[in-house]
Amino acid sequence: MSGIQTPSWSLATCRDGAGAASLAVLLEDGTLLAAPELKRWDTMLDLLDDWATAEPVLRRLELEGVPSVNDVGLVAPLRYPRKLICAGVNYRRHIKEMGADVPAEGWHPFFFLKPPTTTVIGPADPLTVHDRERTRYDWEAELAVVIGRGGRAIPVESALDHVAAYAVANDVTARALHKRTAVPAAPFVYDWVASKAIDGSFPMGPGLTPAFLVPDPQDLRLRLWVNGELQQDESTGDMICSVAELIAAASQVMTLEPGDVIATGTPSGVGAPRGRYLRGGDVVRVSIDGLGSIENTVQEP
Ligand code: MG
């Protein structure tokens, strides 16, 4: 069961017909509200850079009577994360479905990066699959963690204090390009860039739900459907390393900054074990209870 209490809301970025972007409050029913308090920040990154000021403002946000925004489209809430850090396998059943065993002990999280400026797309943007037979795009529903307070070597105990917000994401992966066939030596077997860094391979949204509205990030139900057919359905409680542990581990490697996003790994139910990959016309919907849903239609150029 999710610990989320309703009603919840998130911070969205919307764009009007003239291309101007602005911040708004997104309610669970899809209503966008032009909260005047948000006008002091031009972009979500500005708001996150100012998180110490923004958080108390958001906690006091009064939504009663705030006018709704119309004639705008929802775009990626955070179009340019400062860094986009992704956890490698982090759910037990997903390790098994990929043909490996979970080590009994001594597990340490590991990460890869997606380019922060070219992979993020919005919650309803088309998802472009290139060269389908050769690349084999697969889905990975994930909880995304947005950093509001930076740091290095952050202790696990205080790691969640660094989180500004949470969002729904899909770490789209070109599965066939991950393992190389002809390599000179073992260190060169995996190509994380070819499989993970593809343009538009990180649909995210619909908004950023402030962490203070999420009582327990390890108690969120995460689901993914392709064409209405349920593929993934687990709780973030099934993570091997918790959100706090991932933040602590990532911050041992690199300094975390406001606006960084950490994708926390995907549960079981990806397409690879069944040989089901994305193709033009597929509709991929990812939802996390309390954080909303994203839905991207696959197109092939
Ligand atoms: Mg992933």
Side-chain angles (χ1 to χ4, degrees):
M1 290 295 288
S2 169
I4 283 282
Q5 304 296 308
T6 52
S8 191
W9 54 268
S10 62
L11 289 167
T13 302
C14 42
R15 196 175 290 280
D16 65 22
S22 59
L23 301 181
V25 167
L26 174 64
L27 302 182
E28 284 182 307
D29 66 1
T31 305
L32 284 162
L33 301 178
E37 293 92 335
L38 299 180
K39 288 195 191 305
R40 69 165 92 178
W41 301 286
D42 287 335
T43 67
M44 195 71 81
L45 195 55
D46 290 341
L47 184 151
L48 292 165
D49 275 334
D50 195 24
W51 185 245
T53 302
E55 190 193 22
V57 170
L58 297 174
R59 281 181 184 270
R60 290 194 305 267
L61 216 53
E62 188 48 71
L63 300 176
E64 201 65 33
V66 175
S68 61
V69 203
N70 299 304
D71 303 322
V72 294
L74 215 50
V75 295
L78 178 58
R79 176 67 180 81
Y80 300 114
R82 205 156 256 126
K83 290 190 286 297
L84 181 41
I85 305 161
C86 302
V89 281
N90 194 33
Y91 284 78
R92 288 184 173 77
R93 281 162 56 196
H94 177 56
I95 294 185
K96 283 193 185 303
E97 76 175 342
M98 298 306 274
D101 282 323
V102 185
E105 55 188 47
W107 178 265
H108 191 76
F110 70 99
F111 302 94
F112 58 90
L113 297 168
K114 279 180 177 261
T117 54
T118 45
T119 52
V120 175
I121 62 172
D125 286 345
L127 171 55
T128 305
V129 165
H130 297 276
D131 201 0
R132 167 164 56 92
E133 291 298 332
R134 191 180 66 85
T135 55
R136 296 185 176 174
Y137 282 41
D138 199 351
W139 55 83
E140 294 192 356
E142 306 203 7
L143 170 69
V145 177
V146 183
I147 299 297
R149 183 151 69 86
R152 185 169 171 83
I154 296 167
V156 175
E157 298 71 31
S158 56
L160 292 183
D161 298 343
H162 293 255
V163 179
Y166 296 96
V168 179
N170 187 355
D171 171 24
V172 177
T173 302
R175 207 64 79 184
L177 304 184
H178 191 53
K179 195 167 183 182
R180 304 174 68 208
T181 47
V183 289
F188 312 111
V189 167
Y190 295 101
D191 189 340
W192 289 89
V193 170
S195 58
K196 295 288 194 178
I198 319 149
D199 285 359
S201 63
F202 199 74
M204 181 183 177
L208 306 186
T209 302
F212 59 77
L213 293 176
V214 181
D216 183 359
Q218 305 305 146
D219 184 20
L220 299 172
R221 187 182 183 186
L222 178 64
R223 280 175 289 178
L224 180 145
W225 298 259
V226 178
N227 304 332
E229 210 172 293
L230 189 63
Q231 307 288 337
Q232 297 187 276
D233 183 5
E234 284 195 47
S235 163
T236 54
D238 298 330
M239 286 183 192
I240 298 169
C241 296
S242 66
V243 170
E245 288 168 331
L246 292 176
I247 291 168
S251 74
Q252 290 287 344
V253 181
M254 59 195 119
T255 299
L256 295 185
E257 302 166 287
D260 285 351
V261 170
I262 301 177
T264 54
T266 199
S268 63
V270 299
R274 289 161 284 139
R276 171 67 165 96
Y277 300 103
L278 295 173
R279 49 184 173 249
D282 281 344
V283 178
V284 186
R285 181 179 181 81
V286 191
S287 108
I288 298 179
D289 287 2
L291 306 187
S293 305
I294 60 175
E295 186 174 286
N296 303 90
T297 299
V298 176
Q299 64 178 20
E300 292 185 66

